[in-house]
Amino acid sequence: MTFLLRTIGYLFGIGSVFALIGAAGVAWYVSSMGSDLPDYTALRKYEPPVMTRVHAADGSLVAEYAVERRLFLPIQAVPDLIKQAFLSAEDKNFYQHNGIDPSGIIRAIVTNVRNRGSGRRPVGASTITQQVAKNFLLTNDPTVDRKIKEAILSMRMEAAFTKDKILELYLNDIYLGLGAYGVAAASLVYFDKSVHELTVAEAAYMAALPKAPNNYHPFRFPDRAIERRNWVIDRMEEDGVIDKATADAARAEPLRVTPRHTGPHLVATDYFAEEVRRRIYQLYGESGLYGGGMSVRATLDPKLQVLARKNLNAGLMKFDVQRGSWRGPVERVDLATGDWGIPLSKVPPLIDVPEWRLAVVLSVSDQDAVIGLRPNVEVSGAIASERDTGRVTLSTMSWKRRMLYRTDPQKLVGRPSGRVPPNQFTYAGINKMSQAVSPGDVVYVEKVPEEGEDIWRLRQVPNISGAMVVMDPHTGRVLALVGGFSYGDSEFNRATQAWRQPGSSYKPFVYAAALDNGYTPASVIVDGPISIADGMGRVWSPKNYGGKYGGPSTLRLGIERSRNLMTVRLAKDMGMPLVAEYSKRFGIYDDLLPYLPMALGAGETTVLRLTSAYAIIANGGKKIVPTLIDRIQDRYGNTIYKHDARICEGCVAETWAEQPEPTLIDESEQVLDPMSAYQITSMMEGVVQRGTATVVKQVGKPIAGKTGTTNEEKDAWFVGYTPDLVAGVFIGFDQPQPMGKGATGGVLAAPIFTEFMKEALADKPSVAFRIPEGIKLVPIDRTSGQRVSGSGGNVVIEAFKPGTAPGEGVSIVSDFSYTGEGGGQNRRVSPEAERAVYSGTGGLY
């Protein structure tokens, strides 16, 4: 017995020694694991990547930019339902444990032993604190070392942070699938709702996702998703978060997931949104754009944007129908499989042209074609079961001719005629539907409700391009911007990236420079032939559009009728360096070459630049900087960028003590005399009333503007304005080429401007242009520039600066040598001398 006791004591002693050694080893191991852990205190200042959101002027969401789609939500703003759902699913003892949940570990062990061999996924025992430690500070390596570090960090974090802070980090950081990080973003991405609007079933589904979101994908694995969601609902009922009736109702709900659109959220804003994105990138870089959590208030007016896009596209399609041809299908699919919906669904539509649908031609006769409409496609790629069909009739066929390719047409599908070498195609008329389409052709179609419920017309992306910009002339705020027919077809922005010749739409700035330097609207210039040597043995002989001459004419008449020869003489008389200086002031060109052809708009600029320059004239000559962004705030609501730099000393007041309204101090540079600005505005009103843009009179309100057409009709422009709104329109092929005889700014661009302004100003009062103080209004003959009395077809009320109204004579700008007193080149001479020269009795020029 004694021996037995000694043996037991001996063994116990040895065991104790080994236990102490083991404990020491464990202590040393744990100590070594905790010696070089990441600095968890950095989480106090943790700023997760948060998506940047762009809003229109009315607050509508335009676009969101993020690598990790996340909206940071303070814990105080997280609804209790969301908190309770995640705690029931992930860590029901969260508010009781110190970072590690022993009961949860035991429960997980028991559950995993019970499920052994069943094929079920092992149950984890990590607390929310442990998940935060792993996600923020450690890796996902499935090792013992990592688990011990995780446990140590969890206990230290529990001692350093409040439970709410830890839960806040968790709910804003977790990945929940479909590119969404955090509960706020996931609520929008999955249900297009705020977290405060979620139902019990929706909150439970979100709480089901952290473990493995791809395993519970709502479209790929809907059964698994519902099973996991219902498991969370069971846990919520078990924890007393919801009662049985609520739980039963939630379990019975179908899984209604409505994914949020990830592109621009407003119709027709793609070009505008992309331009804003580029600007934010320039200001704050990639990290700021995609993770800075900025709130961007854009200048966009959604109503004007829709109008601009609608009218520009209508003008482009009109040109394509009247001057173009049917160019064939966008794609072809094999109908031999029988189910045309599947191959058709793989052809991407133009999502920014919602009026159109893709369709496949199923059968064709002489008078019509039966089409199958592209079915709706869910996120999962599942194809809708229904197969809608319709008809395209020959009577709705807008194009009168079709393009016939000399080579395999499939090699040229999707390439408009403007991008296809001329030797690759010819034309033929369309007398039968079968001459336009064939079975298997994939085409765009648009509904024709007036023709019948199932009648559609063929559509195609025009091969002509264009752009439109709408601005507030007083602030430079871009209210609408359209860079082409469809961003989905071409991301190239013709409003900001296309450098084109403005042609005659540049002339107002030559005339403005003249008015600012001693000329008046009644100054007379000869509209007659002129030849100028370029110093290299060549002679330049410009001509008017149409080839005719008008003789001595006033500046007003010259701009109303867009006379090239008068503009060249005027620029020659002033000197091109002065014209170049004014071009720079207006922001049209940075460094205009001082050559006379540039006075006719031969230099290249953009629609945005030229429209901004017209805005300066419209606002009375004050320089403006065009902007698509009003204000940018950081994630904390601090304003970090503001476009409006005007000073307002009295705008911040704690109380109102009957003080007067604050006054904004505008320190903008005056680049044009206000009187000169009004004079050129009045002259451009004449362009609309009597000149090259009479179609604009249909708007029925005071409008000034100027057409522009370049050589061989390669570019067509119209830029115009009211006292408070300016808009510029450009039409032309991406690769400059003639658009056809008569394709002028007045024929192509001005009608688009007109239709836009009709709708934009429909509910606005008619406002006359503001007349600066000191301007004298005098009736004159608009041809001779002489003061007249009474009224008549050739009489206009002209604006003159003090002391410049016409008297007995009138000055004429010529370009011949004059030997009179003080003679020399480019003198102003008497009307009699000038008329003698023009009639051929006074010399040649």
Side-chain angles (χ1 to χ4, degrees), residues 60 188 378 388 432-433 475 478 489 531 568 582 596 598 628 683 708 785 834 839:
S60 305
L188 293 173
E378 300 292 349
D388 294 334
K432 302 176 182 178
M433 203 68 209
T475 62
V478 177
D489 175 67
S531 295
V568 171
Y582 271 79
L596 282 172
M598 296 299 176
L628 281 73
M683 292 162 67
E834 182 62 41
S839 65

Side-chain angles (χ1 to χ4, degrees), residues 427-539:
Y427 297 103
I430 299 176
N431 301 310
K432 302 176 182 178
M433 203 68 209
S434 55
Q435 293 173 329
V437 294
S438 304
D441 284 354
V442 177
V443 293
Y444 290 112
V445 294
E446 183 179 27
K447 198 153 196 152
V448 191
E450 60 271 20
E451 293 287 333
E453 186 62 30
D454 67 336
I455 302 300
W456 301 72
R457 64 162 56 96
L458 290 176
R459 286 299 191 197
Q460 67 180 357
V461 175
N463 61 356
I464 194 77
S465 299
M468 187 170 185
V469 172
V470 182
M471 293 180 65
D472 178 340
H474 305 290
T475 62
R477 299 173 69 247
V478 177
L479 306 177
L481 183 149
V482 187
F485 182 83
S486 166
Y487 186 82
D489 175 67
S490 170
E491 296 181 9
F492 181 65
N493 192 332
R494 288 97 183 156
T496 60
Q497 295 175 306
W499 292 80
R500 305 296 290 249
Q501 293 179 331
S504 296
S505 58
Y506 172 70
K507 290 176 183 175
F509 303 97
V510 178
Y511 284 75
L515 294 170
D516 230 22
N517 288 275
Y519 296 79
T520 77
S523 296
V524 175
I525 302 176
V526 169
D527 180 27
I530 184 173
S531 295
I532 300 171
D534 66 358
M536 300 175 65
R538 295 172 301 189
V539 176

Side-chain angles (χ1 to χ4, degrees), residues 520 522 776 778-780 784-788 800 803-811 831:
T520 77
K776 185 176 181 180
V778 177
I780 68 164
S784 68
Q786 298 281 5
R787 184 194 294 261
V788 296
F800 292 94
T804 66
E808 293 296 322
V810 60
S811 61

Side-chain angles (χ1 to χ4, degrees), residues 286-321:
E286 185 175 357
S287 60
L289 171 64
Y290 294 107
M294 292 180 286
S295 175
V296 181
R297 181 56 63 98
T299 59
L300 177 74
D301 183 317
K303 292 181 181 178
L304 293 182
Q305 179 70 26
V306 169
L307 286 181
R309 177 253 184 188
K310 181 184 77 170
N311 287 291
L312 177 67
N313 282 10
L316 296 177
M317 287 192 290
K318 181 179 179 181
F319 179 95
D320 191 61
V321 167

